[in-house]
Amino acid sequence: MKYKIVRTDKADDQLREMIFYIAEDSGSVDTAWNYLDKIKTVINHLENSPMSGSVPRYSILRKQGYRVLIAERHLIFYKVDDGKRLVIIYAIVDGRREYRNLI
């Protein structure tokens, strides 16, 4: 049985900002949409393999139960609720930035 994937408002905002930035930076809406498709493909993989992400390197994030997936240049932070068969996406951040305070 598949897990349901939900994104927090914060993750939605981060995703929206990322796509606007890529569209503006590249000058191409198509480039931004293609990048979004890649991110969504990685996230949708969690429906069948919710534990496929790795444990974050920062102990505070590990202790809080986060897992992390890498999608292109971005890190996707999420938690799994096995009881409800739910994957909650908490943050989608640029992996090149200091992200501890962004989650």
Side-chain angles (χ1 to χ4, degrees):
M1 193 168 139
K2 290 186 175 186
Y3 280 65
K4 181 179 180 185
I5 297 173
V6 295
R7 290 190 308 255
T8 62
D9 289 343
K10 183 174 190 169
D12 271 346
D13 290 345
Q14 290 168 329
L15 193 57
R16 195 174 307 107
E17 287 172 20
M18 172 198 340
I19 297 310
F20 283 138
Y21 174 80
I22 291 169
E24 187 176 314
D25 189 54
S26 68
S28 168
V29 174
D30 287 341
T31 299
W33 285 127
N34 289 337
Y35 195 85
L36 177 61
D37 286 343
K38 291 176 186 177
I39 298 283
K40 284 184 172 182
T41 297
V42 171
I43 289 173
N44 288 339
H45 180 72
L46 293 172
E47 288 179 336
N48 296 311
S49 302
M51 302 308 276
S52 61
S54 57
V55 176
R57 67 177 183 217
Y58 292 120
S59 63
I60 185 129
L61 298 177
R62 277 197 307 268
K63 289 176 185 169
Q64 292 174 354
Y66 284 101
R67 297 189 73 80
V68 63
L69 269 179
I70 299 170
E72 298 289 318
R73 296 185 309 261
H74 286 81
L75 302 175
I76 300 164
F77 289 90
Y78 69 98
K79 292 181 183 180
V80 177
D81 182 333
D82 281 318
K84 295 180 181 175
R85 299 197 67 79
L86 200 60
V87 173
I88 305 143
I89 308 293
Y90 284 91
I92 303 169
V93 299
D94 190 323
R96 298 168 296 183
R97 293 179 56 194
E98 177 55 48
Y99 55 81
R100 270 185 299 191
N101 300 325
L102 298 175
I103 300 174

